[in-house]
Amino acid sequence: MALYSSISPGALVLMLLIFPMLINNLAAKHGYTTTIHHHHHHQHHHNRLPEKAMSNKSLQQAYIALQAWKRVIYSDPNNFTSNWDGPNVCNYSGVYCAACPNNTKIQVVAGIDLNHCDLAGFLPDEIGLLTDLTLIHLNSNRFCGILPQSLSNLTLLYEIDLSNNRFVGPFPSVVLSLPSLNYLDIRYNEFEGKVPSELFNKKLDAIFINNNHFTSVLPPNFGTSSASVIVFANNKFEGCIPPSIANLANTLEELLLINTSVKGCLPPEVGFLYKLKVLDVSYNKIVGPIPYSIAGLAHLEVLNLGHNMMTGIVPDGVCCLPNLSNFTFSYNFFCEEEGICRNLTSKGIMFDDRRNCLPDKPQQRSKKECDAVDQHPVDCTQNCSNSLH
């Protein structure tokens, strides 16, 4: 079990199918032509770009875009873009060309991978000229500012990873206009405000928006998403997990809502997510019991309910799940562990049951704390806003 890497297998398969010559063999550089504007003046007349490349409008547009981008990269401590000179863009570091799917005789810029380059700057409007891009990876740089609306021109873009940068502003709604997008990763930035409900209508396989400053609620159409991985951790979503989550059953494998201010009871519909391998709702305001329906999640490997205000029993059916390897329910108010739950070590399951109200277990809450919660039972049939009062 592992979360997505920075390049998803789906994107690589797609690019291998559509662009069989994606990774261009790095031959000796062609010379530069004086017919394309650039800032370098040491080229000689006999070093001209071949006629075939000169007639390729796509590469000419890519040259304009990448030169504009280089001009607004203000810090490049590793000199990664030092060879972004001249119109032979297929030899630029981090730029990957491939045969155009509509005309295999010409090359186009199909991918840009600047992961972990420590570049500082912003994305210029000219990036919208890179209309043949299928993936763009900018993970772990110092790019800042807002995303240009011209990104909407990248209609072939399948995968975008902008994680671990300094982008700001509201949710970048421009990504919702990308018809081919399958993988969205904008985690660890400075985005803020509401998350548009339209996000969940997109046919995305992976949604990573964790570690921003979003303030929102999980909308009723949350369950219309087709994603297999949803990571919203470390934002302020509030509200409850809607029952429509059941509609994610055919796709969802990993759901991480850590520290999102989610409240209310866990809906029994969580137990309908039969493909689920990872469920982490720790560090929230969830109340009420563990839904027994979770005992039906045969593929579940990691279950983390820690640091909430849940009560009742820890059901034997959950502890007996065949693939469960890590079960955390510490810092709640559970009062009883059923059956094998009292001895998870015997099943080889890593667990944490500290700071509950479990008799005969060490490191539990005081009787005073536990009694105070007992006096205010939770009614999960009430609506979300009332269930915590």
Side-chain angles (χ1 to χ4, degrees):
M1 181 279 301
L3 294 176
Y4 269 76
S5 62
S6 62
I7 301 180
S8 73
L12 291 178
V13 169
L14 177 87
M15 294 178 68
L16 289 172
L17 290 174
I18 297 180
F19 300 117
M21 297 173 66
L22 174 63
I23 310 294
N24 203 33
N25 59 325
L26 297 177
K29 278 192 175 183
H30 294 299
Y32 306 138
T33 177
T34 56
T35 62
I36 299 180
H37 176 74
H38 50 74
H39 296 287
H40 302 273
H41 55 269
H42 57 272
Q43 289 80 22
H44 301 291
H45 255 323
H46 62 275
N47 288 337
R48 292 183 179 274
L49 198 66
E51 288 297 318
K52 185 170 70 170
M54 287 178 63
S55 65
N56 183 344
K57 183 179 179 182
S58 177
L59 290 184
Q60 291 175 8
Q61 295 286 83
Y63 170 77
I64 294 170
L66 293 168
Q67 289 302 309
W69 197 354
K70 185 177 181 180
R71 286 194 293 273
V72 294
I73 292 177
Y74 302 123
S75 175
D76 182 0
N78 301 312
N79 294 317
F80 190 81
T81 62
S82 61
N83 70 345
W84 283 27
D85 288 328
N88 193 5
V89 295
C90 295
N91 280 1
Y92 288 12
S93 296
V95 176
Y96 298 94
C97 290
C100 176
N102 297 327
N103 183 352
T104 56
K105 293 181 180 179
I106 67 170
Q107 293 278 297
V108 297
V109 173
I112 292 179
D113 187 348
L114 304 180
N115 281 356
H116 303 283
C117 290
D118 197 24
L119 302 172
F122 63 91
L123 305 188
D125 289 337
E126 289 86 348
I127 201 168
L129 297 173
L130 297 168
T131 54
D132 297 290
L133 276 183
T134 61
L135 69 79
I136 181 166
H137 288 169
L138 307 180
N139 183 338
S140 302
N141 286 286
R142 290 174 285 144
F143 289 116
C144 63
I146 61 174
L147 302 189
Q149 287 300 308
S150 60
L151 279 173
S152 62
N153 296 334
L154 309 187
T155 56
L156 300 179
L157 198 64
Y158 182 85
E159 181 167 309
I160 185 167
D161 181 355
L162 308 177
S163 60
N164 197 22
N165 279 283
R166 299 172 185 174
F167 292 113
V168 298
F171 182 91
S173 295
V174 64
V175 301
L176 302 179
S177 67
L178 301 173
S180 303
L181 195 65
N182 185 261
Y183 177 104
L184 174 65
D185 190 346
I186 58 172
R187 56 187 154 172
Y188 291 97
N189 278 286
E190 304 293 331
F191 294 116
E192 59 189 281
K194 293 187 180 301
V195 175
S197 59
E198 291 82 3
L199 173 65
F200 306 106
N201 296 331
K202 288 285 291 181
K203 296 300 180 186
L204 297 171
D205 182 55
I207 304 173
F208 294 94
I209 63 173
N210 51 292
N211 294 80
N212 280 282
H213 303 290
F214 292 124
T215 51
S216 196
V217 296
L218 295 176
N221 73 328
F222 174 61
T224 62
S225 175
S226 60
S228 65
V229 179
I230 297 177
V231 185
F232 289 170
N234 300 311
N235 288 288
K236 292 192 182 301
F237 273 84
E238 301 185 336
C240 296
I241 299 174
S244 64
I245 194 172
N247 298 331
L248 292 164
N250 290 330
T251 57
L252 192 62
E253 296 181 8
E254 300 183 14
L255 177 62
L256 286 81
L257 298 175
I258 308 154
N259 189 31
T260 50
S261 300
V262 170
K263 61 184 180 180
C265 297
L266 270 186
E269 287 82 2
V270 169
F272 298 175
L273 304 174
Y274 67 95
K275 291 187 175 182
L276 206 60
K277 296 179 181 178
V278 178
L279 176 61
D280 193 333
V281 294
S282 58
Y283 292 92
N284 284 298
K285 303 171 184 176
I286 297 172
V287 296
I290 299 174
Y292 196 79
S293 59
I294 290 179
L297 300 179
H299 298 287
L300 196 65
E301 299 171 16
V302 176
L303 176 59
N304 192 340
L305 308 175
H307 292 267
N308 281 287
M309 297 179 284
M310 300 182 73
T311 54
I313 65 171
V314 182
D316 188 57
V318 173
C319 299
C320 289
L321 285 169
N323 288 295
L324 192 64
S325 61
N326 193 319
F327 184 14
T328 298
F329 51 97
S330 53
Y331 290 86
N332 280 283
F333 294 90
F334 294 115
C335 62
E336 182 185 346
E337 294 170 312
E338 277 190 342
I340 195 65
C341 300
R342 291 193 284 271
N343 189 14
L344 288 171
T345 306
S346 66
K347 288 199 67 182
I349 296 174
M350 294 179 62
F351 72 99
D352 188 350
D353 63 2
R354 293 172 300 146
R355 305 297 293 166
N356 280 287
C357 302
L358 302 169
D360 305 321
K361 283 293 185 85
Q363 301 181 63
Q364 298 297 301
R365 294 184 185 274
S366 68
K367 186 176 186 301
K368 182 179 178 181
E369 286 180 283
C370 295
D371 287 347
V373 171
D374 276 346
Q375 291 168 14
H376 297 89
V378 173
D379 183 358
C380 289
T381 63
Q382 296 184 32
N383 65 41
C384 179
S385 60
N386 291 333
S387 64
L388 294 179
H389 296 308

